[in-house]
Amino acid sequence: MHYWPALDGLRALAVIAVMLFHAQWPGAQGGFLGVDVFFVLSGFLITAQLSLEIQTTGRIALWAFFMRRVVRLQPALLLLLLAYAGCAALTNWLPPAVAGVWPTDVAVVALAMAHWARAWEWHAPDYLGHTWSLGIEEQFYLLWAVAMAMFARWRAAPATVAGWALAGTLCSAAWMAGLHLAGATPSRLYNGLDTRAMALLTGCLLAQALLRSHPGRIFIHAQPATGDQSRQAADGVRHPWDAYAATALLLGCMHVLSWRQPAMFLVGYFMVALLTAWLIRCLVLAPRQACAALLSWPPLVRIGQWSYGLYLWHYPVFRIAEYQAGRYGVTLPAAMLLGALATVTLAAASYHLLELPLRRGYARRRMRALSGAMPSA
């Protein structure tokens, strides 16, 4: 499968927006939409990877897929939970009321239930509240991988898979709007897997649409669907300003929108998912255009590669920094700056010393296992 540096750059913009939002930075009140960008990206990339496996082997090896997800997500999360438990039990960095319930908080996060805990308001983790999005992604990966395995068994065409993804997207968006009109709380609407699946499914739909129309843009060795390679290549660069417009609109949304606005639950989150999907489409089909080149700027790409660690660490670090700033009379901007520096350090160390070595080690073991299973000539 192709690698798009610009998508890592888009990840960087998303995680920076989320961090600015949690740092209470003026002008970043819509930074929470960075999570929606992550959702659409995740749906797109996971579906592309699963589709490649289907094209290569004719099936989905569910256990291998789940193990890749575990190796990708769990070690860094486990490190965070261990560090959080140590801080809560051994230091005075957290408020007593928060430190006193750390075992329950850690258990809720470890079970990937933080989103439902927040949605139903029965024990929402405080300093680990940001892990709601991880719970949604982990549960969605499980459900979507099983669905893709069933599609592979039925030999469903990409158009059929796209149709199911479209139906799921529209149902999830309509369900969010319906629950809002019925009086559901903002927490229920914002944190539920059923209401937020539309962003992930929008990414899945985009992947299937591009696999049908531009397979050569997704899979390295794929042949164009129409057999006309030059026309297919031109399709991706016909409107070079689309990516700029989509990026500007997305950044504008991150500047002005509020997560509790009624319009967000009626159509707003759905529109942001579609806007993100359009931007991803532009970056994938026109990887050499100027906007993709800007998002492929090496520092942005590096931040994108660190984005998982940055997301994991920033929220508890920011909350601890805010609490300690109040105790010692430090201004909030100074505390957030120190928190940001600590977050970048922790995320970089996590990526280079834990996440990347484990992923490479697992990939090598997987390759050796597959090589050993191949018959000799």
Side-chain angles (χ1 to χ4, degrees), residues 190-249:
Y190 188 78
N191 294 283
L193 171 61
D194 52 345
T195 53
R196 302 311 299 272
M198 63 176 158
L200 288 146
L201 286 168
T202 298
C204 300
L205 174 60
L206 173 65
Q208 290 299 324
L210 292 183
L211 284 171
R212 189 179 183 206
S213 63
H214 297 79
R217 295 291 186 176
I218 307 297
F219 300 149
I220 294 174
H221 300 296
Q223 294 298 317
T226 63
D228 186 349
Q229 215 163 17
S230 62
R231 186 174 71 82
Q232 187 191 64
D235 286 346
V237 296
R238 187 173 298 160
H239 304 294
W241 293 102
D242 284 5
Y244 281 120
T247 303
L249 282 173

Side-chain angles (χ1 to χ4, degrees), residues 18 22 35 39 73-74 76-78 80-81 84 104-119 123-139 190-191 308-316:
V18 173
H22 286 145
V35 174
F39 283 163
L73 300 173
Q74 296 305 313
L77 178 60
L78 178 60
L80 170 69
L81 294 180
Y84 181 79
T104 306
D105 287 350
V106 168
V108 168
V109 174
L111 293 172
M113 292 297 290
H115 57 301
W116 289 122
R118 284 165 55 103
H123 184 86
D126 191 352
Y127 279 38
L128 296 174
H130 67 308
T131 58
W132 70 273
S133 64
L134 305 183
I136 283 181
E137 289 198 350
E138 289 174 18
Q139 292 180 8
Y190 188 78
N191 294 283
Y308 180 55
L310 289 169
Y311 186 82
L312 278 181
W313 289 100
H314 86 278
Y315 190 68

Side-chain angles (χ1 to χ4, degrees), residues 177-364:
L179 287 179
H180 170 69
L181 294 174
T185 65
S187 292
R188 169 66 183 89
L189 299 171
Y190 188 78
N191 294 283
L193 171 61
D194 52 345
T195 53
R196 302 311 299 272
M198 63 176 158
L200 288 146
L201 286 168
T202 298
C204 300
L205 174 60
L206 173 65
Q208 290 299 324
L210 292 183
L211 284 171
R212 189 179 183 206
S213 63
H214 297 79
R217 295 291 186 176
I218 307 297
F219 300 149
I220 294 174
H221 300 296
Q223 294 298 317
T226 63
D228 186 349
Q229 215 163 17
S230 62
R231 186 174 71 82
Q232 187 191 64
D235 286 346
V237 296
R238 187 173 298 160
H239 304 294
W241 293 102
D242 284 5
Y244 281 120
T247 303
L249 282 173
L250 192 58
L251 292 176
C253 290
M254 292 175 176
H255 174 61
V256 301
L257 294 181
S258 169
W259 76 274
R260 287 177 173 268
Q261 288 173 328
M264 292 299 297
F265 301 119
L266 291 173
V267 296
Y269 287 109
F270 185 39
M271 292 295 102
V272 169
L274 293 179
L275 177 60
T276 303
W278 183 257
L279 176 55
I280 294 171
R281 179 188 182 276
C282 294
L283 298 176
V284 168
L285 296 186
R288 293 183 179 85
Q289 285 293 341
C291 185
L294 286 174
L295 288 173
S296 300
W297 185 44
L300 268 184
V301 172
R302 178 61 72 189
I303 293 172
Q305 292 169 344
W306 293 349
S307 61
Y308 180 55
L310 289 169
Y311 186 82
L312 278 181
W313 289 100
H314 86 278
Y315 190 68
V317 169
F318 282 10
R319 294 296 302 275
I320 290 171
E322 182 180 8
Y323 175 62
Q324 294 298 322
R327 295 179 65 198
Y328 293 104
V330 179
T331 64
L332 182 62
M336 293 298 101
L337 178 58
L338 291 173
L341 293 174
T343 297
V344 171
T345 302
L346 290 167
S350 174
Y351 180 79
H352 291 288
L353 301 178
L354 179 66
E355 300 169 51
L356 199 57
L358 285 175
R359 269 187 263 166
R360 287 174 173 171
Y362 177 78
R364 284 194 295 267

